[in-house]
Amino acid sequence: MRFSLRLILVGTVAACAPMLPDPPPMAAPTPAPVQPEAPPAAPAPVPVAPAVDQTGFDGWKQGFLARHGGSRRAAYERELAGLEPDPTVIRLDRNQPEFSRPAGAYIQNAVTATRIAQARQRTDRAPWSVVQRYGVPSEILVAVWAQESAFGQVQGDFDVIRSLATLAYDGRRREWAEAQLKDALDIVVDGRRSRAGLKGSWAGAMGQTQFMPDNYLRLGVDQNEDGLVDIWGSDADALASAANLLAQAGWKRGQTWGYEVRLPSNFDYSEAEGPRHPWSYWAAKGVTLAHGGAPNAAEAREEATILLPQGARGPAFLALPNHYVIRRYNNSVSYALAIGLTADGVQGRPGLVGTWPDDGPLSRDQRIGAQRALTVMGYDTQGIDGVIGANTRAALRRWQMANGRLADGYLTAELADELIRRAG
């Protein structure tokens, strides 16, 4: 969804909107069915859902009502009556694909010729008035639509209130989840959506563009002017709401999200994900656009950084401000690149020059173990939660520099195991 303006949306439809805090939403024509893509050759085993404690959950619920109920306590209590925590939600929260799978595996699964063709066929579903009003290109909007719900086909059938109550009770993101839960309860209590119709992803993201409850209340748009913000059934409402969110997050008109780049052989990898600089700085360092040319004049003046989503062996990108706007939708490098590259494909731009290394996924034990090891060794990851975000990559980069390694900040399974051994 991990905002000033409360722009917190929490890959795939299972979790595509909650933004994880970086130490941490009437019927239109039904779209054509999405053709299934080939399944992966060897799917990873699904972890067993953890057991939950109903007594502890009931205790949390009373605490939530005391903290947030106020004058609506009786109404909230009515909606929460008989609720049980959902162990599947806890399992999925601990194994989000944007943060556990290598970027290349995530992006190659998300950015396919089939998906790009389907998105291109639907660009006219983003009304021109919406594009003009908010300044967000139609290709970006249909890329979000594709990634979040397969163009409305897969919106999730979890009880949003139960999911958010479970996340709040579990405690990893309690403050965020309780705020979202209060907003979800308000949606029902105020009659904006029935409780039975308040369905979404396991993380509480709702509708065709997977809005979190706070964003639905603050940024939802009744584009078809029927008196309802129907992000579930109306393509126009869903896409206009997504455009409003991105515009409010700072989308820059006339600029793209970024470019694939080539790095010189002597590139200082410790500069990746570091301070941002204009294009002139990176060009002086020997960085070139992978397909030649240069950013446009406005883009060249922007502060940008180099991203290495799969380390020095994978493709490199110049991330412009609009890349970070996409990450206000879902604070994952992999997610934002998937949106940007899908949009590029819709526009007919060429694909990547670089190739993705065939790295395996990181287990939760490896992710948490590596964070704990780095912190113990004096390289604070700003939290031990299994989410390999910018702070963990920065800590790893510092450890790599101190130990004479190539400081690309990329955690492989082998490196995670080494860090765990070194920390004892």
Side-chain angles (χ1 to χ4, degrees):
M1 349 163 258
R2 282 18 165 269
F3 304 165
S4 63
L5 259 161
R6 303 284 301 163
L7 290 172
I8 305 177
L9 273 175
V10 172
T12 63
V13 87
C16 266
M19 169 180 163
L20 305 176
D22 200 354
M26 278 126 207
T30 302
V34 177
Q35 297 300 315
E37 298 172 9
V46 177
V48 175
V52 292
D53 173 15
Q54 184 66 39
T55 302
F57 180 77
D58 289 340
W60 162 81
K61 187 164 60 175
Q62 292 306 311
F64 168 82
L65 291 168
R67 289 187 293 275
H68 301 284
S71 63
R72 292 192 159 191
R73 177 165 182 155
Y76 290 177
E77 193 162 16
R78 182 176 64 249
E79 297 301 332
L80 294 173
L83 204 65
E84 297 179 356
D86 188 342
T88 301
V89 167
I90 297 174
R91 172 177 61 78
L92 291 170
D93 183 52
R94 294 174 182 174
N95 293 276
Q96 295 186 55
E98 301 99 316
F99 300 100
S100 59
R101 294 169 61 189
Y106 179 92
I107 291 167
Q108 289 176 100
N109 184 65
V111 185
T112 66
T114 298
R115 175 166 284 181
I116 287 169
Q118 292 168 340
R120 186 178 294 125
Q121 292 169 356
R122 290 167 170 80
T123 53
D124 62 350
R125 302 285 185 88
W128 180 240
S129 60
V130 168
V131 174
Q132 289 288 87
R133 177 180 179 184
Y134 298 107
V136 182
S138 59
E139 60 268 17
I140 290 289
L141 296 177
V142 295
V144 169
W145 194 20
Q147 184 68 6
E148 295 293 350
S149 69
F151 311 105
Q153 301 284 307
V154 186
Q155 299 185 29
D157 59 0
F158 285 82
D159 175 350
V160 166
I161 287 175
R162 184 185 183 196
S163 292
L164 290 170
T166 301
L167 290 171
Y169 157 69
D170 188 44
R172 185 172 75 83
R173 294 177 284 155
R174 176 163 292 170
E175 183 178 354
W176 168 83
E178 287 193 353
Q180 295 292 338
L181 174 59
K182 184 181 188 304
D183 285 336
L185 289 165
D186 284 340
I187 291 170
V188 173
V189 172
D190 290 339
R192 297 170 185 263
R193 185 80 174 176
S194 71
R195 173 65 183 277
L198 203 67
K199 299 291 187 181
S201 77
W202 64 262
M206 310 179 302
Q208 298 192 49
T209 45
Q210 294 288 277
F211 262 38
M212 293 305 294
D214 68 331
N215 286 317
Y216 174 82
L217 291 174
R218 294 168 176 81
L219 301 169
V221 176
D222 178 16
Q223 179 64 23
N224 62 13
E225 299 182 338
D226 66 352
L228 297 171
V229 176
D230 184 9
I231 60 175
W232 295 266
S234 167
D235 298 353
D237 285 8
L239 292 171
S241 297
N244 189 28
L245 185 151
L246 293 169
Q248 293 297 324
W251 187 270
K252 291 181 177 286
R253 293 173 183 258
Q255 298 186 27
T256 189
W257 61 273
Y259 295 91
E260 185 187 8
V261 294
R262 294 182 185 272
L263 305 178
S265 59
N266 63 344
F267 184 74
D268 181 359
Y269 285 92
S270 67
E271 288 202 75
E273 280 196 281
R276 302 177 193 181
H277 303 284
W279 172 242
S280 59
Y281 176 91
W282 296 114
K285 296 279 186 179
V287 177
T288 59
L289 300 192
H291 292 287
N296 68 36
E299 293 166 349
R301 291 191 294 268
E302 297 288 356
E303 300 288 303
T305 193
I306 301 296
L307 296 181
L308 304 169
Q310 210 162 332
R313 295 178 296 124
F317 300 90
L318 180 78
L320 292 164
N322 283 340
H323 166 85
Y324 293 95
V325 171
I326 297 170
R327 282 170 63 173
R328 300 292 291 273
Y329 215 111
N330 182 324
N331 193 21
S332 156
V333 173
S334 296
Y335 175 87
L337 287 175
I339 298 301
L341 293 169
T342 298
D344 284 356
V346 171
Q347 286 189 299
R349 293 180 178 174
L352 296 180
V353 171
T355 56
W356 296 105
D358 186 21
D359 295 327
L362 292 165
S363 70
R364 178 172 169 78
D365 286 346
Q366 286 173 317
R367 286 177 277 136
I368 286 180
Q371 288 178 321
R372 182 175 291 114
L374 285 166
T375 300
V376 165
M377 291 188 289
Y379 305 93
D380 190 1
T381 60
Q382 303 296 311
I384 299 172
D385 58 3
V387 175
I388 307 303
N391 285 338
T392 299
R393 292 191 295 271
L396 176 58
R397 200 171 275 114
R398 294 194 299 272
W399 178 88
Q400 289 170 322
M401 293 173 65
N403 286 272
R405 308 290 182 91
L406 189 150
D408 61 0
Y410 178 57
L411 184 67
T412 62
E414 294 76 16
L415 183 52
D417 291 341
E418 178 186 344
L419 290 169
I420 293 168
R421 287 196 303 271
R422 281 175 172 254

